[in-house]
Amino acid sequence: MSRFLLTRVAGLVIILAVASVAIYGSMLLAPGDPATLLVGGGKPPNPELIASIHREYHLDDPFAVRYWRWLTGVLQGDFGPSLAYRDSVNHLLAERISNTLTLVGYASAIILLVGITLGTAGALRGGRFETSATAISAGAMAVPTFVIGALLAYVFGVRLSWFAPSGSGSGISGAFRYLTLPAVALAFSWIGYVAQITRTSVRAELRSEHVETADSRGIPRPGVIRRHVLRNASGPIFAVSGIAIAGLTATTAVVEKAFGISGIGALLVDAAAKQDLATVQAISLIMVASFVVLNTLVDLVTALLDPRVLKGRPS
Amino acid sequence: MSSPLLSLEGLGLELRVDGSYRSVIHQVDLTVGRGEAVGLVGESGSGKSLTARSVLRLLPPGARLRGDIRFDGMPVPQSGSSALRTFRSTEIAMIFQDPRAHINPVRSIGDFLTEGLVTTRGLPRRQAEAKVVALLQEVGVADAARRMRQHPHELSGGLLQRVMIAAALAAEPKLLLADEPTTALDVTTQAEVMAIIDEARAERGLAMLFITHDLELAAAVCDRIAVMYAGSVVEDLPAGALHDRSAHPYTRALLASRPSIGERGGSLRAIPGRPLSAFEVGAGCAFAPRCSRAQETCRTQRPSLSPAGKGSAACLFPGSEAPSV
């Protein structure tokens, strides 16, 4: 187990290191001079002013030196200054990250609850119920997030006024009022994935031979379902749920923009439009990191759920 | 002899395949007395495994069962779901062919062994564990306490089959249903596992329905042999009479087609034609197309089990002389 853990953590560190180089490097390939942003549009830029900005922000240093300075800052928790916002990136993030975390957490809860329930019920009930559960989840998978977002905002926000169509509030009631529609929109297509995987893996376990053994021993049905069907199906269900939740960190930008939520996803879009390199780099790195960390967690839990993953089967 | 422990009368089974029903068992008449071992022998697809599963009503959804199954006086086809669960957990234990598939891979051996005792008998976990550890030792599993904490993938096939046997014995059943318990094992392990089953049975006076395609093995461990062909029992006779007194041409042909260690050089004598599936059987005798003794009436009239030789055979022209295959 400890060896497994060690290789996974080492892999994680390597991926993050490579990602940080790629993120930092690709931003430098973007056209345009960040210094011109500070000077402002309209007038032709004053070469001396540009040169002084370049000196102040070390824009002329070699790539390795700049990368190293950035990386040491990041490792100490300092993402540097944002040129476009004239603020520290840390401050920009701190104001917004809790909104994003709440939104992603809310959406994750919806995905797990609805997806697993729908999939399990479909597989256990069978017949028409299963057919319609499959159709619903296949439909959910096909709807793009921005479409369902607009639809939800119009129906439940504007027409029915059950929830706020946009903006953000504080506290639990605020989260419920302002974040329910975005969370549903964010969760929607992933619910389909989780429901489908849950349904097929529960179905496969229901037909498996070890379940026949349990039935042959007269174990009551609920016990068979819980200890043999759901327990054994939990590996793939957990894996796809983990990927779904990791994927939310990327799609959250769309939903935050659509519902006017001040989160880091919306900040990423704005910062990219303003060519604010430091902010884009910071958020990209955070997203990659959360994706990789979540995936590693999924691997660990999968290994804990199925003892065969760690030790390998005998030949 | 008093009433048998298990009796199957006119058992038939249809399964739903692509929306229509297909007959997989035509006519099985079979009894197992208390403490008796009966071998149910037949080719793959002859319906022997489904016969065993019918006894426990361990059938796929939509299966249609015909005829009567009585266990210790209880009519199995009519019992409700809670009576059926009690029946499964106390009266009969099944040993499956492939222990690696039939034991939950993600739960520990201890979990598997004690599950029945804890959930259906309400035995405290400690007590159940002590009981199954003793059983593991009885079936020749060394280091039983450590094995309890391991998972199936850490045990060899032979060890796992012993675990399956111990689990079956833990329920203290009256009848063992052994569905080819040694087919998935290598030859030396097979002998050991059979010896373990034999010993445990003798000690407890357990009855057994032993399903196999190995005539010789069945003859060696059973009191009586029932031979199945295309969904029907075609012959039922004492194990000792198998070699010299079997009356059904199919049984004779099976015996003749087996290689023997004694004679060398001769080519194997296969039964001509191919085995029929139960649903393909027409009006006459299912074996008629392959039978060297078949007459015109064999193709139109289906024989039922009637006394022949030392047992009974479903054949219009039974006889113990070797057929000219």
Side-chain angles (χ1 to χ4, degrees):
Chain A
M1 184 71 200
S2 54
R3 206 184 135 180
F4 179 79
L5 199 70
L6 214 67
T7 53
R8 283 307 148 116
V9 172
L12 189 142
V13 170
I14 291 168
I15 290 173
L16 285 180
V18 172
S20 71
V21 175
I23 288 168
Y24 194 80
S26 65
M27 291 302 146
L28 296 182
L29 296 177
D33 184 349
T36 55
L37 280 168
L38 279 179
V39 181
K43 293 168 281 181
N46 177 347
E48 269 174 41
L49 184 59
I50 298 281
S52 79
I53 292 171
H54 274 229
R55 268 196 305 284
E56 191 187 337
Y57 291 101
H58 309 284
L59 292 180
D60 293 327
D61 289 355
F63 175 75
V65 175
R66 295 172 63 188
Y67 170 72
W68 185 248
R69 186 182 298 117
W70 175 72
L71 188 67
T72 46
V74 167
L75 289 177
Q76 288 161 24
D78 177 12
F79 287 105
S82 155
L83 274 68
Y85 290 90
R86 317 226 168 151
D87 197 349
S88 76
V89 175
N90 284 34
H91 187 238
L92 291 170
L93 292 177
E95 280 181 328
R96 293 165 173 85
I97 200 141
S98 74
N99 274 340
T100 299
L101 284 179
T102 314
L103 178 61
V104 168
Y106 198 168
S108 305
I110 294 174
I111 289 173
L112 295 180
L113 203 71
V114 181
I116 293 175
T117 310
L118 196 66
T120 309
L124 293 183
R125 294 272 300 271
R128 283 229 183 88
F129 186 87
E130 182 172 9
T131 316
S132 35
T134 310
I136 291 170
S137 37
M141 281 195 280
V143 181
T145 305
F146 63 89
V147 172
I148 192 70
L151 197 71
L152 288 172
Y154 177 70
V155 175
F156 297 102
V158 178
R159 297 305 294 245
L160 296 170
S161 298
W162 291 358
F163 300 99
S166 78
S168 47
S170 58
I172 293 195
S173 64
F176 183 73
R177 179 162 166 70
Y178 288 97
L179 293 182
T180 298
L181 292 183
V184 171
L186 193 54
F188 202 75
S189 60
W190 287 109
I191 290 174
Y193 279 100
V194 172
Q196 290 291 44
I197 298 290
T198 303
R199 195 179 57 79
T200 46
S201 52
V202 168
R203 184 135 276 272
E205 288 301 330
L206 272 177
R207 289 204 201 101
S208 72
E209 281 123 328
H210 67 85
V211 168
E212 185 185 32
T213 309
D215 282 335
S216 82
R217 299 161 95 188
I219 311 283
R221 201 63 187 159
V224 175
I225 300 289
R226 204 174 59 246
R227 280 194 303 274
H228 298 288
V229 176
L230 292 182
R231 172 67 179 76
N232 287 50
S234 62
I237 295 174
F238 190 85
V240 73
S241 305
I243 291 166
I245 292 167
L248 294 182
T249 52
T251 40
T252 181
V254 177
V255 171
E256 285 174 15
K257 285 302 279 182
F259 286 90
I261 295 163
S262 170
I264 63 168
L267 178 62
L268 174 68
V269 177
D270 295 340
K274 291 180 179 169
Q275 286 196 315
D276 186 7
L277 295 189
T279 307
V280 172
Q281 284 159 350
I283 297 173
S284 306
L285 194 63
I286 288 171
M287 285 182 171
V288 170
S290 57
F291 193 88
V292 177
V293 168
L294 276 167
N295 264 318
T296 308
L297 279 178
V298 167
D299 283 352
L300 290 179
V301 175
T302 307
L304 289 176
L305 284 175
D306 190 340
R308 288 169 299 180
V309 172
L310 284 183
K311 291 176 182 161
R313 296 163 208 231
S315 54
Chain B
M1 199 173 82
S2 59
S3 70
L5 181 64
L6 171 73
S7 74
L8 309 178
E9 260 173 60
L11 181 76
L13 179 68
E14 285 173 39
L15 296 182
R16 207 167 51 199
V17 181
D18 302 328
S20 64
Y21 281 90
R22 195 171 261 196
S23 191
V24 287
I25 300 177
H26 278 298
Q27 179 78 22
V28 170
D29 298 288
L30 189 68
T31 60
V32 181
R34 284 164 211 283
E36 190 186 25
V38 175
L40 190 58
V41 185
E43 292 164 85
S44 332
S46 61
K48 52 194 195 304
S49 271
L50 280 168
T51 301
R53 280 166 170 74
S54 300
V55 173
L56 280 174
R57 280 192 25 211
L58 207 57
L59 299 167
R64 282 206 295 228
L65 206 56
R66 181 161 44 70
D68 196 21
I69 304 170
R70 249 164 225 279
F71 186 88
D72 225 354
M74 183 188 97
V76 177
Q78 285 83 34
S79 55
S81 63
S82 123
L84 185 66
R85 267 203 308 280
T86 313
F87 168 66
R88 286 172 174 176
S89 64
T90 56
E91 307 286 358
I92 299 184
M94 186 143 179
I95 299 170
F96 293 92
Q97 179 177 348
D98 181 2
R100 208 167 290 291
H102 272 101
I103 297 178
N104 190 337
V106 308
R107 306 196 75 93
S108 70
I109 299 296
D111 254 8
F112 173 73
L113 285 164
T114 55
E115 185 182 23
L117 294 175
V118 172
T119 59
T120 65
R121 305 289 177 84
L123 222 63
R125 181 161 289 281
R126 279 287 170 77
Q127 232 172 299
E129 278 171 3
K131 182 173 176 177
V132 298
V133 164
L135 278 169
L136 279 181
Q137 282 157 352
E138 190 192 325
V139 298
V141 175
D143 219 355
R146 185 170 67 94
R147 297 295 184 197
M148 293 281 285
R149 291 189 303 271
Q150 289 186 312
H151 284 84
H153 68 274
E154 296 168 86
L155 274 64
S156 69
L159 265 180
L160 266 190
Q161 196 56 291
R162 287 167 206 240
V163 167
M164 178 91 86
I165 294 167
L169 296 175
E172 294 175 12
K174 297 193 182 94
L175 174 71
L176 278 185
L177 290 177
D179 184 9
E180 308 207 28
T182 60
T183 307
L185 309 175
D186 63 63
V187 182
T188 46
T189 322
Q190 280 181 7
E192 283 168 25
V193 165
M194 280 322 300
I196 288 163
I197 293 179
D198 232 23
E199 230 168 86
R201 274 193 54 237
E203 214 159 275
R204 292 169 170 77
L206 256 173
M208 172 166 78
L209 184 62
F210 180 64
I211 290 136
T212 179
H213 53 250
D214 189 339
L215 261 180
E216 300 292 330
L217 180 63
V221 297
C222 295
D223 305 310
R224 227 150 36 79
I225 308 284
V227 180
M228 273 191 90
Y229 184 76
S232 301
V233 169
V234 294
E235 182 157 24
D236 185 337
L237 78 173
L242 179 71
H243 282 277
D244 305 321
R245 303 292 303 275
S246 56
H248 198 284
Y250 176 61
T251 316
R252 307 284 329 156
L254 270 187
L255 285 166
S257 65
R258 221 177 159 277
S260 90
I261 294 173
E263 31 181 293
R264 297 177 65 96
S267 59
L268 291 178
R269 286 193 290 174
I271 307 177
R274 65 172 182 90
L276 287 188
S277 295
F279 73 93
E280 297 172 309
V281 175
C285 170
F287 190 60
R290 306 171 73 188
C291 182
S292 60
R293 274 211 295 259
Q295 310 284 313
E296 203 40 51
T297 42
C298 293
R299 296 181 216 288
T300 52
Q301 192 183 334
R302 186 180 295 174
S304 53
L305 276 183
S306 46
K310 286 222 153 192
S312 50
C315 179
L316 296 174
F317 305 99
S320 56
E321 74 279 9
S324 50
V325 177

PDB file of all heavy atoms in Angstrom, chain B residues 15 35 44 53 62 66 70 81 90 117 129 149 157 162 176 192 216 228 233 248 257 304:
ATOM      1  N   LEU B  15     -37.124 -21.624 -20.511  1.00  0.00           N
ATOM      2  CA  LEU B  15     -36.518 -20.313 -20.279  1.00  0.00           C
ATOM      3  C   LEU B  15     -36.892 -19.392 -21.423  1.00  0.00           C
ATOM      4  O   LEU B  15     -37.084 -19.832 -22.551  1.00  0.00           O
ATOM      5  CB  LEU B  15     -34.994 -20.434 -20.213  1.00  0.00           C
ATOM      6  CG  LEU B  15     -34.427 -21.257 -19.078  1.00  0.00           C
ATOM      7  CD1 LEU B  15     -32.911 -21.228 -19.125  1.00  0.00           C
ATOM      8  CD2 LEU B  15     -34.910 -20.756 -17.722  1.00  0.00           C
ATOM      9  N   GLY B  35     -29.029 -39.258   3.018  1.00  0.00           N
ATOM     10  CA  GLY B  35     -27.665 -39.776   3.090  1.00  0.00           C
ATOM     11  C   GLY B  35     -27.172 -40.391   1.799  1.00  0.00           C
ATOM     12  O   GLY B  35     -26.031 -40.851   1.721  1.00  0.00           O
ATOM     13  N   SER B  44     -22.433 -31.350 -21.733  1.00  0.00           N
ATOM     14  CA  SER B  44     -22.776 -29.942 -21.549  1.00  0.00           C
ATOM     15  C   SER B  44     -24.060 -29.667 -22.312  1.00  0.00           C
ATOM     16  O   SER B  44     -24.224 -30.140 -23.420  1.00  0.00           O
ATOM     17  CB  SER B  44     -21.693 -29.024 -22.101  1.00  0.00           C
ATOM     18  OG  SER B  44     -20.448 -29.653 -22.052  1.00  0.00           O
ATOM     19  N   ARG B  53     -30.240 -26.365 -10.221  1.00  0.00           N
ATOM     20  CA  ARG B  53     -30.686 -25.019  -9.862  1.00  0.00           C
ATOM     21  C   ARG B  53     -32.196 -24.966  -9.653  1.00  0.00           C
ATOM     22  O   ARG B  53     -32.688 -24.179  -8.843  1.00  0.00           O
ATOM     23  CB  ARG B  53     -30.243 -24.016 -10.921  1.00  0.00           C
ATOM     24  CG  ARG B  53     -28.782 -23.613 -10.758  1.00  0.00           C
ATOM     25  CD  ARG B  53     -28.256 -22.898 -11.987  1.00  0.00           C
ATOM     26  NE  ARG B  53     -26.945 -22.307 -11.775  1.00  0.00           N
ATOM     27  CZ  ARG B  53     -25.807 -22.996 -11.710  1.00  0.00           C
ATOM     28  NH1 ARG B  53     -25.824 -24.303 -11.819  1.00  0.00           N
ATOM     29  NH2 ARG B  53     -24.650 -22.375 -11.515  1.00  0.00           N
ATOM     30  N   GLY B  62     -38.453 -15.083 -15.356  1.00  0.00           N
ATOM     31  CA  GLY B  62     -39.269 -15.514 -16.485  1.00  0.00           C
ATOM     32  C   GLY B  62     -39.201 -17.007 -16.744  1.00  0.00           C
ATOM     33  O   GLY B  62     -39.800 -17.487 -17.694  1.00  0.00           O
ATOM     34  N   ARG B  66     -42.207 -26.773 -14.469  1.00  0.00           N
ATOM     35  CA  ARG B  66     -43.341 -27.688 -14.559  1.00  0.00           C
ATOM     36  C   ARG B  66     -43.023 -28.897 -13.678  1.00  0.00           C
ATOM     37  O   ARG B  66     -41.866 -29.188 -13.378  1.00  0.00           O
ATOM     38  CB  ARG B  66     -43.487 -28.078 -16.038  1.00  0.00           C
ATOM     39  CG  ARG B  66     -44.582 -28.987 -16.433  1.00  0.00           C
ATOM     40  CD  ARG B  66     -44.836 -28.879 -17.956  1.00  0.00           C
ATOM     41  NE  ARG B  66     -43.646 -28.854 -18.800  1.00  0.00           N
ATOM     42  CZ  ARG B  66     -42.843 -29.908 -18.997  1.00  0.00           C
ATOM     43  NH1 ARG B  66     -43.076 -31.053 -18.425  1.00  0.00           N
ATOM     44  NH2 ARG B  66     -41.792 -29.793 -19.787  1.00  0.00           N
ATOM     45  N   ARG B  70     -40.219 -32.021  -4.459  1.00  0.00           N
ATOM     46  CA  ARG B  70     -40.530 -32.127  -3.050  1.00  0.00           C
ATOM     47  C   ARG B  70     -39.261 -32.346  -2.258  1.00  0.00           C
ATOM     48  O   ARG B  70     -38.461 -33.226  -2.581  1.00  0.00           O
ATOM     49  CB  ARG B  70     -41.490 -33.289  -2.786  1.00  0.00           C
ATOM     50  CG  ARG B  70     -42.844 -32.814  -2.370  1.00  0.00           C
ATOM     51  CD  ARG B  70     -43.882 -33.883  -2.487  1.00  0.00           C
ATOM     52  NE  ARG B  70     -45.066 -33.301  -3.119  1.00  0.00           N
ATOM     53  CZ  ARG B  70     -45.960 -32.591  -2.440  1.00  0.00           C
ATOM     54  NH1 ARG B  70     -45.826 -32.399  -1.137  1.00  0.00           N
ATOM     55  NH2 ARG B  70     -46.993 -32.074  -3.053  1.00  0.00           N
ATOM     56  N   SER B  81     -41.627 -16.538  -1.042  1.00  0.00           N
ATOM     57  CA  SER B  81     -40.237 -16.107  -1.083  1.00  0.00           C
ATOM     58  C   SER B  81     -39.552 -16.222   0.277  1.00  0.00           C
ATOM     59  O   SER B  81     -38.362 -16.524   0.353  1.00  0.00           O
ATOM     60  CB  SER B  81     -40.134 -14.681  -1.628  1.00  0.00           C
ATOM     61  OG  SER B  81     -40.801 -13.804  -0.771  1.00  0.00           O
ATOM     62  N   THR B  90     -31.169 -23.252   5.086  1.00  0.00           N
ATOM     63  CA  THR B  90     -31.043 -24.303   6.091  1.00  0.00           C
ATOM     64  C   THR B  90     -30.987 -25.721   5.530  1.00  0.00           C
ATOM     65  O   THR B  90     -30.354 -26.584   6.127  1.00  0.00           O
ATOM     66  CB  THR B  90     -32.231 -24.248   7.077  1.00  0.00           C
ATOM     67  OG1 THR B  90     -33.439 -24.352   6.328  1.00  0.00           O
ATOM     68  CG2 THR B  90     -32.236 -22.961   7.870  1.00  0.00           C
ATOM     69  N   LEU B 117     -24.308 -17.571   8.234  1.00  0.00           N
ATOM     70  CA  LEU B 117     -24.589 -17.818   9.653  1.00  0.00           C
ATOM     71  C   LEU B 117     -25.036 -16.543  10.349  1.00  0.00           C
ATOM     72  O   LEU B 117     -25.953 -16.545  11.164  1.00  0.00           O
ATOM     73  CB  LEU B 117     -23.346 -18.372  10.346  1.00  0.00           C
ATOM     74  CG  LEU B 117     -22.894 -19.760   9.890  1.00  0.00           C
ATOM     75  CD1 LEU B 117     -21.586 -20.140  10.559  1.00  0.00           C
ATOM     76  CD2 LEU B 117     -23.971 -20.789  10.210  1.00  0.00           C
ATOM     77  N   GLU B 129     -17.427 -17.108  13.482  1.00  0.00           N
ATOM     78  CA  GLU B 129     -16.031 -17.222  13.072  1.00  0.00           C
ATOM     79  C   GLU B 129     -15.378 -18.465  13.646  1.00  0.00           C
ATOM     80  O   GLU B 129     -14.667 -19.190  12.960  1.00  0.00           O
ATOM     81  CB  GLU B 129     -15.251 -15.965  13.482  1.00  0.00           C
ATOM     82  CG  GLU B 129     -15.451 -14.837  12.479  1.00  0.00           C
ATOM     83  CD  GLU B 129     -14.881 -13.508  12.954  1.00  0.00           C
ATOM     84  OE1 GLU B 129     -14.272 -13.464  14.051  1.00  0.00           O
ATOM     85  OE2 GLU B 129     -15.064 -12.514  12.229  1.00  0.00           O
ATOM     86  N   ARG B 149      -8.724 -13.707   6.957  1.00  0.00           N
ATOM     87  CA  ARG B 149      -8.531 -12.272   6.696  1.00  0.00           C
ATOM     88  C   ARG B 149      -8.138 -12.002   5.247  1.00  0.00           C
ATOM     89  O   ARG B 149      -8.090 -10.870   4.808  1.00  0.00           O
ATOM     90  CB  ARG B 149      -7.442 -11.721   7.622  1.00  0.00           C
ATOM     91  CG  ARG B 149      -7.847 -11.661   9.083  1.00  0.00           C
ATOM     92  CD  ARG B 149      -6.805 -10.898   9.893  1.00  0.00           C
ATOM     93  NE  ARG B 149      -5.478 -11.488   9.761  1.00  0.00           N
ATOM     94  CZ  ARG B 149      -5.007 -12.458  10.543  1.00  0.00           C
ATOM     95  NH1 ARG B 149      -5.748 -12.933  11.511  1.00  0.00           N
ATOM     96  NH2 ARG B 149      -3.791 -12.937  10.362  1.00  0.00           N
ATOM     97  N   GLY B 157      -6.967 -22.070  -6.562  1.00  0.00           N
ATOM     98  CA  GLY B 157      -8.286 -22.616  -6.896  1.00  0.00           C
ATOM     99  C   GLY B 157      -8.701 -23.749  -5.970  1.00  0.00           C
ATOM    100  O   GLY B 157      -9.845 -23.813  -5.528  1.00  0.00           O
ATOM    101  N   ARG B 162     -12.101 -25.513  -1.331  1.00  0.00           N
ATOM    102  CA  ARG B 162     -12.265 -25.982   0.053  1.00  0.00           C
ATOM    103  C   ARG B 162     -13.049 -24.968   0.881  1.00  0.00           C
ATOM    104  O   ARG B 162     -13.860 -25.321   1.723  1.00  0.00           O
ATOM    105  CB  ARG B 162     -10.897 -26.193   0.710  1.00  0.00           C
ATOM    106  CG  ARG B 162     -10.179 -27.410   0.199  1.00  0.00           C
ATOM    107  CD  ARG B 162      -8.733 -27.363   0.647  1.00  0.00           C
ATOM    108  NE  ARG B 162      -7.913 -28.121  -0.282  1.00  0.00           N
ATOM    109  CZ  ARG B 162      -7.192 -29.169   0.074  1.00  0.00           C
ATOM    110  NH1 ARG B 162      -7.155 -29.554   1.333  1.00  0.00           N
ATOM    111  NH2 ARG B 162      -6.485 -29.815  -0.811  1.00  0.00           N
ATOM    112  N   LEU B 176     -26.302 -31.737  -0.236  1.00  0.00           N
ATOM    113  CA  LEU B 176     -25.324 -30.933  -0.969  1.00  0.00           C
ATOM    114  C   LEU B 176     -25.649 -31.017  -2.451  1.00  0.00           C
ATOM    115  O   LEU B 176     -25.855 -32.107  -2.976  1.00  0.00           O
ATOM    116  CB  LEU B 176     -23.913 -31.511  -0.781  1.00  0.00           C
ATOM    117  CG  LEU B 176     -23.097 -31.185   0.452  1.00  0.00           C
ATOM    118  CD1 LEU B 176     -21.708 -31.797   0.305  1.00  0.00           C
ATOM    119  CD2 LEU B 176     -22.989 -29.685   0.654  1.00  0.00           C
ATOM    120  N   GLU B 192      -8.197 -34.674  -4.228  1.00  0.00           N
ATOM    121  CA  GLU B 192      -8.242 -34.211  -2.836  1.00  0.00           C
ATOM    122  C   GLU B 192      -9.610 -33.642  -2.495  1.00  0.00           C
ATOM    123  O   GLU B 192     -10.184 -33.948  -1.436  1.00  0.00           O
ATOM    124  CB  GLU B 192      -7.186 -33.126  -2.614  1.00  0.00           C
ATOM    125  CG  GLU B 192      -5.780 -33.657  -2.469  1.00  0.00           C
ATOM    126  CD  GLU B 192      -4.756 -32.536  -2.547  1.00  0.00           C
ATOM    127  OE1 GLU B 192      -5.115 -31.367  -2.228  1.00  0.00           O
ATOM    128  OE2 GLU B 192      -3.624 -32.821  -2.951  1.00  0.00           O
ATOM    129  N   GLU B 216     -17.000 -42.071 -14.775  1.00  0.00           N
ATOM    130  CA  GLU B 216     -16.192 -42.877 -13.862  1.00  0.00           C
ATOM    131  C   GLU B 216     -16.142 -42.252 -12.474  1.00  0.00           C
ATOM    132  O   GLU B 216     -16.256 -42.941 -11.464  1.00  0.00           O
ATOM    133  CB  GLU B 216     -14.762 -43.011 -14.400  1.00  0.00           C
ATOM    134  CG  GLU B 216     -14.666 -43.661 -15.756  1.00  0.00           C
ATOM    135  CD  GLU B 216     -15.049 -45.149 -15.707  1.00  0.00           C
ATOM    136  OE1 GLU B 216     -14.832 -45.774 -14.652  1.00  0.00           O
ATOM    137  OE2 GLU B 216     -15.571 -45.658 -16.713  1.00  0.00           O
ATOM    138  N   MET B 228     -28.366 -38.070 -18.053  1.00  0.00           N
ATOM    139  CA  MET B 228     -29.258 -37.132 -18.746  1.00  0.00           C
ATOM    140  C   MET B 228     -28.844 -36.975 -20.191  1.00  0.00           C
ATOM    141  O   MET B 228     -27.654 -36.961 -20.513  1.00  0.00           O
ATOM    142  CB  MET B 228     -29.215 -35.760 -18.085  1.00  0.00           C
ATOM    143  CG  MET B 228     -30.183 -35.616 -16.940  1.00  0.00           C
ATOM    144  SD  MET B 228     -30.318 -33.891 -16.424  1.00  0.00           S
ATOM    145  CE  MET B 228     -31.652 -33.314 -17.451  1.00  0.00           C
ATOM    146  N   VAL B 233     -33.891 -37.375 -18.140  1.00  0.00           N
ATOM    147  CA  VAL B 233     -33.142 -38.473 -17.544  1.00  0.00           C
ATOM    148  C   VAL B 233     -33.442 -39.707 -18.380  1.00  0.00           C
ATOM    149  O   VAL B 233     -34.595 -40.072 -18.582  1.00  0.00           O
ATOM    150  CB  VAL B 233     -33.548 -38.705 -16.073  1.00  0.00           C
ATOM    151  CG1 VAL B 233     -32.960 -40.024 -15.560  1.00  0.00           C
ATOM    152  CG2 VAL B 233     -33.057 -37.558 -15.210  1.00  0.00           C
ATOM    153  N   HIS B 248     -29.384 -48.461 -21.320  1.00  0.00           N
ATOM    154  CA  HIS B 248     -29.673 -47.462 -22.353  1.00  0.00           C
ATOM    155  C   HIS B 248     -28.502 -47.358 -23.329  1.00  0.00           C
ATOM    156  O   HIS B 248     -27.346 -47.278 -22.911  1.00  0.00           O
ATOM    157  CB  HIS B 248     -29.935 -46.099 -21.709  1.00  0.00           C
ATOM    158  CG  HIS B 248     -30.654 -45.152 -22.623  1.00  0.00           C
ATOM    159  ND1 HIS B 248     -30.022 -44.515 -23.656  1.00  0.00           N
ATOM    160  CD2 HIS B 248     -31.950 -44.763 -22.663  1.00  0.00           C
ATOM    161  CE1 HIS B 248     -30.892 -43.750 -24.300  1.00  0.00           C
ATOM    162  NE2 HIS B 248     -32.089 -43.892 -23.714  1.00  0.00           N
ATOM    163  N   SER B 257     -17.029 -44.746 -25.284  1.00  0.00           N
ATOM    164  CA  SER B 257     -16.251 -43.677 -25.910  1.00  0.00           C
ATOM    165  C   SER B 257     -15.174 -43.127 -24.988  1.00  0.00           C
ATOM    166  O   SER B 257     -14.448 -42.217 -25.356  1.00  0.00           O
ATOM    167  CB  SER B 257     -17.186 -42.538 -26.339  1.00  0.00           C
ATOM    168  OG  SER B 257     -17.760 -41.948 -25.211  1.00  0.00           O
ATOM    169  N   SER B 304     -40.542 -43.463 -21.918  1.00  0.00           N
ATOM    170  CA  SER B 304     -40.374 -42.901 -20.581  1.00  0.00           C
ATOM    171  C   SER B 304     -39.652 -43.935 -19.714  1.00  0.00           C
ATOM    172  O   SER B 304     -39.524 -45.097 -20.082  1.00  0.00           O
ATOM    173  CB  SER B 304     -41.730 -42.543 -19.987  1.00  0.00           C
ATOM    174  OG  SER B 304     -42.577 -43.664 -20.044  1.00  0.00           O
TER     175      SER B 304
END
